[in-house]
Amino acid sequence: MIATLGRFSLWLALAVAVYGAFASFLGARRGRPALIESGQGAVVSIFGLSSFAVLLMEAGLVGHDFSIEYVARNGSLDTPLFYTIIALWGALEGSILLWVWLLALMTLLTVIFERKRQRELIPYVTTVLLCIAAFFLFLVVFPASPFTTIFPAPADGRGPNPLLQNHPLMAVHPPGLYAGYVGWSIPYAFGMAALITGRLGEAWIRTVRRWSIASWGFLTVGIIVGGRWSYEVLGWGGYWAWDPVENASLLPWLTGTAFLHTIMIQERRKMLKFWNVALVIITFALTIFGTFLTRSGILSSVHAFSDSAVGPLFLAFIGVILFLSFSLLVYRSDRLQAEGDLDSLVSRESAFLVNNLLLLGFAFAVLLGTLFPLLSEAVRGVKVSVGEPFFNTVNVPIGLGLIFLMAVGPLIAWRHASVESLRRTFAGPLCLSTVGTGICWFLGVRGLYPLLAFGLSLLTAITVFQEFARGAMVRRRNTGEGYLTALSKLTSRGRRRYGGLIVHLGVAFIVIGITASSIFKLEQEVTLKPGESLQLGRYQVRFDELSAWQEPHRFVVQGNFTIFNSNQKVAEMRPAKRFYPAEQQPIGTVDVRSTMREDLYLVLSSFAKDGTSATVKALVRPLMMWIWVGGWVMVLGSLIAIWPDRRRAVAADVVEEYVAWQPGRS
Amino acid sequence: MQNVNGGRSYDNYGRRGRVILPLLLAIVLWAWPSAALAGSLEEQTLRLAAELRCPVCQNLSVADSPSEMATQMRELIHEKLKNGESPEQIRSYFVSRYGEWVLLAPTRQGFNWLAWLLPFVAILGGGGIIVVTIRRSIRRGQKSNADASRPLDPRYTSRLDAELKESER
Amino acid sequence: MATWKKLSLLLSIIPILLLLAYGFKTNPREVPSPLVGHQAPPFALTMFDGSGNSLEQLRGKPVVLNFWASWCFPACYEEAPHLEAAWQTYRDRGLIVIGVDIQDRDADAKAFIERFKLSFPNGPDPQGKITIDYGVYGVPETFFIKRDGTIHYKHVGALDAKVLKAKIDEML
């Protein structure tokens, strides 16, 4: 029953999507408001139908309806409720269903919020979004239907992949990432609508700004939570393996970041119009590319869903998107001429251009590295691997350049920055960060790249603080407010600027965390008998005993360890191994003790069945938490930047220009 | 500061640049990581293991992987190093058994140079295009006589001050 | 925008799509062995029953060298009967079948041998030296070694009777 209803609602949604796309397009073309309204009604219906389908699937999962094949493969009677619910996105068909639902939701929100303000563009935006929805709906209706049935229905299901039931972050990582991916459809649709209507002024950019930041924010959350999941679940002590699918999530994030920066140039100076549309097309295409990689089986990855017929369809979709979009772009290229000119090689505009160059260079390196094995096989017939050593060698220098830009860019004046202004702005921070780098050297940091990483991150933090301080002081001088009031009003009046600065600060934290946790990493793997201990850094890790017990869906063997720091007990840690009936190898559960100073990470590598010994791998990673904290700071910054500002935007911009321009004051 | 031709002058940059740039270069060279010192046998093992791909994992190095095969490979590397084999010999050994695939980064020869060099070539090329585009844009702007470097008229400055005070309330 | 720029922008999409399409024909998990056609690496195995075996001793006879593990389900379980059958059929014609048990526990391995009544020699590779020496990256994998000691063919995954017979015939 559920399956039939589910199949029917998706099929209906597909039909409505196709209808809606046509209605919207024709309505706009022929000037028939009734058709446009009908198209918007289609959007509402699709949201309703897809929500219904999602609810049905959850009902099937939670109700253990094993006549549905998806439930039989991803659910079981023993799986805890939480993991049963999130099994919705645990496998291919369900994940596409989630994508459809998110797309329907975002299309609905777009229509609701923008239809009065963007009367010209909205019908075409709706058309584009409904076409994309139609593609994904086609996938869930035909090749990848989640509602296929099996007969006779088995008594119990196989349960989700154990890796997906090991950690609650599984509830955050895929939806966050998908929200980010799907979110980029909106700016893309607006870009296409702008091209179709020929209305290539700044209106579409202004509308799209918040959506872009939001999608970027979701992608950031998805990627960082993914790293954290990897750190806590996969048990190898790391958080990023340059796996093809990890790389594929990074690509739209990089081009999206580039886009977020250059739209600022278009808003202020009416330049880079062609480039911005091209960027948004590429970013959207890359979001589809990511889903293509996971589901096509062309690259081996820890993320790969089962191979299916969906791969070629995705590739065809990417091809169609790229051809149609770029053809349209090229067709309208004469309307995309810059209306302004640059004044100097040393200016904020140039800094943004270099920012784009480095971000896209980084993305290109990642893409090249990801696809190179395939290229090598096609050209030479030899399989090669491209992994961490390659990406570190190529990407670190580019990344360092980006951090440098991040530190100095926001402080360089628009149009032209004289030597005087640069000296005044940067003399202090440069001195301070050089001193800071010297301190790092004394603390044991060696090597050019780590020193640069620390130094440039310090520079970023200092310039961000300097900006806040300067702005607050100017306010105080004008209004006599207290420091805190000045700071909060400053931020609230200049949300874009100060939100952006906070994001930069977050990135600096992450870079510090990444650098420290890798160059100062300590590692040891020892077999211990009960009572014996190992010494790692400041910690003494003593093995107490093994305990084991049966849970409904798995058998757990746990190692109990007591941790001492200079002979004082600090913690008890319990890494474990979980044995799932359907799997040959057990899944390890890591135990991590995190402080802002360092992480202590324990893995139970193996154990003797009679409990007489356990092999434990211990890692100490300094400043590891800074990565996650930095991620939160980035999200906070993006929230500030997006937060709606009912005051007229003009006033905020005036303040910003004024502060940046002030030569003699501060 | 404007020179005779009405273009922007970078004289100030030139003078200071001549001092700062060599200084920067000196610092960079001084801080450059010294050639990988031998280190203990364990460190050498892990360093070598980090270059090899764990055959049974997804994209993990032999140094990182917790799998049994990777542990055995690390022991083998350790033993070979103790017997006096050079890292190069050990790498070739693994390549002769598993193929180039077992190296986590493509060798720097022949076709593989494409992977190592193309990103930098692209960035340098892109940088060149940017410089050319900016220069062209500057020239175009100068031709249309827009002079945006005029300092703000004091009348406007005081009016701006007044309006800002007004908007703060 | 100049026409050549427009055209090159659009045409540049094609190579990437072609490369990705090529990816459908390849199997990323399959790694071709560089050992095929070369001399098989020498090995010395101590069998579960205590006897010893080395490659030099087997020179002049065709060898089927099979890597397996008791936790390798279902593939090793599928091919074990076929290997035993091949051993029974061809041992009179000089074929040698040897099994190497990797990353396993002796008790589990012996249980596996009991279960399938394997009569050909089997031995463990406790430190993985033979496994690594043969570039094994998963189980099961089987090497067909000719009389002169060169590797004729490497099979990844479970063997079925047809392939087994064909490859053995080629070596005899």
Side-chain angles (χ1 to χ4, degrees):
Chain A
M1 229 277 282
I2 291 184
T4 328
L5 272 178
R7 261 203 302 270
F8 177 69
S9 55
L10 289 177
W11 192 96
L12 190 57
L14 173 60
V16 170
V18 173
Y19 164 75
F22 272 112
S24 250
F25 188 74
L26 284 173
R29 247 357 206 187
R30 307 242 174 108
R32 305 253 286 268
L35 276 179
I36 298 180
E37 295 261 326
S38 180
Q40 292 175 358
V43 170
V44 178
S45 319
I46 292 174
F47 177 67
L49 287 167
S50 57
S51 306
F52 186 51
V54 166
L55 283 172
L56 282 173
M57 180 50 85
E58 288 291 10
L61 280 167
V62 173
H64 299 303
D65 182 349
F66 296 121
S67 68
I68 307 175
E69 191 175 349
Y70 189 81
V71 177
R73 274 190 290 120
N74 296 292
S76 83
L77 294 167
D78 299 323
T79 313
L81 182 63
F82 179 77
Y83 290 103
T84 303
I85 297 178
I86 70 176
L88 173 68
W89 50 79
L92 179 77
E93 297 83 1
S95 69
I96 302 187
L97 181 60
L98 178 65
W99 190 292
V100 166
W101 182 77
L102 283 168
L103 185 55
L105 174 64
M106 296 202 183
T107 310
L108 183 62
L109 289 174
T110 310
V111 166
I112 291 178
F113 285 124
E114 303 293 345
R115 67 191 174 120
K116 296 242 169 61
R117 276 183 280 176
Q118 297 293 336
R119 234 175 278 263
E120 280 255 13
L121 294 177
I122 269 288
Y124 293 108
V125 169
T126 315
T127 308
V128 172
L129 289 173
L130 284 177
C131 286
I132 302 173
F135 171 72
F136 282 95
L137 277 165
F138 176 82
L139 290 180
V140 275
V141 169
F142 295 110
S145 170
F147 290 110
T148 50
T149 51
I150 45 176
F151 187 81
D156 196 358
R158 225 178 50 181
N161 184 329
L163 276 177
L164 305 180
Q165 332 178 23
N166 234 30
H167 199 289
L169 276 184
M170 222 11 229
V172 181
H173 168 57
L177 206 55
Y178 284 17
Y181 281 150
V182 175
W184 281 106
S185 318
I186 318 282
Y188 169 74
F190 271 99
M192 289 295 106
L195 285 177
I196 295 175
T197 56
R199 300 217 164 272
L200 290 157
E202 276 54 68
W204 81 272
I205 292 272
R206 267 199 295 271
T207 314
V208 142
R209 195 179 58 86
R210 285 214 163 79
W211 285 106
S212 309
I213 298 182
S215 311
W216 177 94
F218 278 120
L219 265 186
T220 308
V221 168
I223 293 174
I224 293 189
V225 168
R228 171 118 201 160
W229 181 88
S230 174
Y231 182 63
E232 293 199 11
V233 172
L234 294 182
W236 57 283
Y239 46 89
W240 189 267
W242 296 106
D243 182 84
V245 174
E246 290 174 340
N247 298 348
S249 70
L250 197 54
L251 291 172
W253 186 89
L254 289 165
T255 58
T257 308
F259 180 71
L260 285 179
H261 286 88
T262 46
I263 55 177
M264 284 194 249
I265 297 189
Q266 186 168 342
E267 275 180 296
R268 274 170 204 278
R269 307 297 311 278
K270 303 206 198 312
M271 308 174 68
L272 293 184
K273 301 188 186 196
F274 185 92
W275 177 247
N276 279 327
V277 182
L279 255 188
V280 83
I281 295 174
I282 292 176
T283 307
F284 174 66
L286 283 173
T287 61
I288 309 291
F289 179 69
T291 38
F292 162 74
L293 271 190
T294 8
R295 293 167 178 78
S296 64
I298 68 171
L299 291 171
S300 85
S301 151
V302 82
H303 275 83
F305 289 97
S306 51
D307 295 343
S308 71
V310 163
L313 286 169
F314 267 113
L315 187 59
F317 187 53
I318 295 176
V320 165
I321 290 174
L322 288 175
F323 267 116
L324 280 181
S325 313
F326 277 112
S327 303
L328 198 51
L329 176 62
V330 153
Y331 169 66
R332 288 286 194 209
S333 56
D334 46 335
R335 293 206 200 192
L336 290 165
Q337 305 283 12
E339 285 175 50
D341 288 305
L342 293 171
D343 296 277
S344 159
L345 267 176
V346 185
S347 60
R348 180 98 54 101
E349 293 91 329
S350 311
F352 276 171
L353 286 176
V354 180
N355 148 302
N356 262 228
L357 176 70
L358 292 180
L359 279 170
L360 273 115
F362 198 108
F364 178 68
V366 171
L367 183 63
L368 182 64
T370 308
L371 292 181
F372 194 73
L374 203 53
L375 187 63
S376 170
E377 198 175 341
V379 170
R380 276 173 76 204
V382 174
K383 268 200 161 77
V384 296
S385 297
V386 178
E388 189 168 342
F390 173 84
F391 288 110
N392 281 349
T393 310
V394 175
N395 282 336
V396 169
I398 307 178
L400 288 175
L402 275 168
I403 306 173
F404 173 70
L405 269 182
M406 197 174 69
V408 307
L411 273 57
I412 300 182
W414 290 94
R415 295 178 180 270
H416 174 69
S418 65
V419 178
E420 268 306 296
S421 73
L422 287 182
R423 191 175 59 77
R424 199 173 314 110
T425 321
F426 292 115
L430 273 175
C431 283
L432 279 176
S433 55
T434 313
V435 168
T437 312
I439 297 178
C440 289
W441 195 85
F442 277 113
L443 289 177
V445 180
R446 296 286 184 277
L448 176 67
Y449 284 160
L451 282 169
L452 271 180
F454 279 118
L456 292 172
S457 309
L458 272 171
L459 186 63
T460 308
I462 295 171
T463 52
V464 167
F465 286 132
Q466 181 180 277
E467 277 307 287
F468 273 97
R470 273 198 191 176
M473 286 201 306
V474 168
R475 277 195 69 89
R476 273 169 56 79
R477 215 189 319 253
N478 284 333
T479 63
E481 291 165 339
Y483 276 113
L484 273 177
T485 325
L487 270 177
S488 75
K489 284 241 170 104
L490 178 76
T491 314
S492 129
R493 299 285 154 81
R495 285 166 213 201
R496 294 177 57 175
R497 177 177 177 77
Y498 293 99
L501 286 176
I502 293 179
V503 171
H504 286 181
L505 188 64
V507 177
F509 284 170
I510 292 182
V511 171
I512 292 177
I514 292 178
T515 314
S517 68
S518 72
I519 62 176
F520 290 124
K521 178 171 89 168
L522 295 170
E523 190 175 334
Q524 236 190 84
E525 189 166 23
V526 182
T527 308
L528 297 171
K529 298 210 227 339
E532 289 184 345
S533 47
L534 69 90
Q535 182 79 31
L536 191 63
R538 303 180 300 144
Y539 299 103
Q540 211 190 359
V541 179
R542 187 189 72 198
F543 172 46
D544 297 325
E545 56 164 1
L546 279 180
S547 43
W549 66 88
Q550 178 77 44
E551 286 180 11
H553 55 302
R554 59 194 176 195
F555 179 74
V556 185
V557 174
Q558 183 178 280
N560 298 316
F561 296 84
T562 316
I563 316 296
F564 298 89
N565 182 356
S566 347
N567 293 323
Q568 233 188 334
K569 170 171 164 177
V570 261
E572 283 175 13
M573 293 176 68
R574 304 193 165 79
K577 268 193 166 353
R578 296 177 177 164
F579 296 82
Y580 291 86
E583 296 294 313
Q584 301 160 6
Q585 305 282 344
I587 310 287
T589 313
V590 153
D591 201 354
V592 185
R593 180 173 176 274
S594 305
T595 59
M596 279 309 277
R597 181 168 168 177
E598 66 205 343
D599 270 23
L600 175 61
Y601 185 97
L602 289 186
V603 184
L604 184 63
S605 308
S606 60
F607 53 89
K609 273 203 172 142
D610 51 8
T612 55
S613 75
T615 308
V616 65
K617 180 168 168 179
L619 278 129
V620 171
R621 278 190 173 253
L623 301 193
M624 189 70 191
M625 269 212 73
W626 288 53
I627 301 180
W628 320 125
V629 169
W632 283 118
V633 173
M634 285 174 79
V635 170
L636 175 67
S638 56
L639 280 175
I640 293 178
I642 297 186
W643 210 261
D645 189 354
R646 252 166 270 121
R647 292 174 58 87
R648 281 170 52 214
V650 174
D653 284 3
V654 169
V655 175
E656 190 178 299
E657 283 273 292
Y658 188 64
V659 172
W661 176 81
Q662 284 287 297
R665 310 228 210 156
S666 82
Chain B
M1 190 207 295
Q2 296 191 337
N3 67 19
V4 184
N5 294 332
R8 199 150 306 282
S9 160
Y10 298 105
D11 273 355
N12 276 339
Y13 288 117
R15 242 176 286 138
R16 286 158 215 252
R18 250 160 281 184
V19 173
I20 294 181
L21 234 43
L23 194 63
L24 219 53
L25 202 60
I27 298 177
V28 163
L29 287 173
W30 168 76
W32 197 269
S34 43
L37 296 167
S40 71
L41 218 54
E42 276 71 32
E43 287 172 12
Q44 283 185 61
T45 309
L46 282 179
R47 221 182 358 247
L48 200 48
E51 295 178 33
L52 295 171
R53 177 180 187 151
C54 161
V56 298
C57 321
Q58 299 286 9
N59 272 41
L60 285 182
S61 69
V62 171
D64 284 330
S65 166
S67 69
E68 194 168 342
M69 170 139 248
T71 313
Q72 289 174 338
M73 285 173 83
R74 285 196 293 271
E75 282 164 10
L76 185 61
I77 296 174
H78 188 103
E79 198 181 301
K80 282 181 177 284
L81 281 171
K82 212 152 52 157
N83 288 345
E85 289 189 39
S86 73
E88 195 45 56
Q89 286 173 302
I90 301 178
R91 264 194 294 265
S92 329
Y93 166 74
F94 280 105
V95 172
S96 70
R97 297 297 187 256
Y98 285 95
E100 264 184 67
W101 170 87
V102 79
L103 294 172
L104 257 184
T107 54
R108 288 172 213 235
Q109 33 178 246
F111 183 71
N112 293 340
W113 273 118
L114 203 67
W116 291 101
L117 294 180
L118 205 52
F120 295 113
V121 166
I123 291 181
L124 285 173
I129 295 179
I130 287 183
V131 169
V132 164
T133 315
I134 294 181
R135 289 228 170 101
R136 209 178 288 165
S137 180
I138 294 177
R139 250 175 281 136
R140 204 172 39 220
Q142 286 169 353
K143 257 190 254 168
S144 57
N145 280 327
D147 189 2
S149 63
R150 199 173 44 215
L152 209 55
D153 196 317
R155 291 176 289 163
Y156 291 118
T157 321
S158 50
R159 178 145 166 233
L160 208 58
D161 274 311
E163 280 191 3
L164 276 172
K165 279 214 176 64
E166 191 59 47
S167 69
E168 288 312 320
R169 258 181 255 126
Chain C
M1 195 185 189
T3 320
W4 68 266
K5 279 192 205 160
K6 295 184 185 180
L7 253 145
S8 50
L9 179 62
L10 288 176
L11 290 179
S12 65
I13 303 173
I14 300 183
I16 309 175
L17 292 176
L18 283 178
L19 179 65
L20 294 174
Y22 170 79
F24 289 126
K25 289 201 303 174
T26 65
N27 180 355
R29 294 202 182 82
E30 206 176 77
V31 183
S33 170
L35 289 172
V36 176
H38 292 92
Q39 280 290 317
F43 65 83
L45 253 190
T46 312
M47 304 299 157
F48 284 116
D49 59 15
S51 65
N53 244 313
S54 73
L55 193 58
E56 291 83 63
Q57 288 176 278
L58 304 169
R59 183 60 56 98
K61 305 200 191 110
V63 179
V64 173
L65 187 63
N66 172 254
F67 290 85
W68 59 275
S70 67
W71 44 263
C72 146
F73 181 87
C76 297
Y77 287 65
E78 283 168 8
E79 68 169 12
H82 296 307
L83 282 165
E84 176 63 21
W87 169 239
Q88 299 293 350
T89 317
Y90 289 96
R91 69 194 291 181
D92 306 325
R93 293 170 60 185
L95 179 76
I96 305 282
V97 179
I98 297 193
V100 182
D101 172 45
I102 75 171
Q103 294 164 19
D104 213 346
R105 272 188 281 257
D106 282 2
D108 299 332
K110 289 189 181 148
F112 183 90
I113 296 173
E114 239 326 286
R115 176 181 174 144
F116 291 100
K117 311 267 186 288
L118 302 179
S119 56
F120 56 84
N122 278 285
D125 183 21
Q127 284 160 324
K129 292 232 177 75
I130 308 177
T131 313
I132 298 175
D133 226 12
Y134 273 79
V136 171
Y137 59 91
V139 278
E141 287 185 16
T142 314
F143 291 82
F144 293 79
I145 307 174
K146 296 202 290 218
R147 294 174 203 273
D148 59 1
T150 55
I151 298 184
H152 173 64
Y153 171 68
K154 171 182 172 181
H155 188 93
V156 172
L159 278 165
D160 61 24
K162 218 165 35 141
V163 176
L164 201 47
K165 178 173 177 339
K167 294 299 169 189
I168 294 177
D169 283 337
E170 285 169 22
M171 289 201 298
L172 283 172

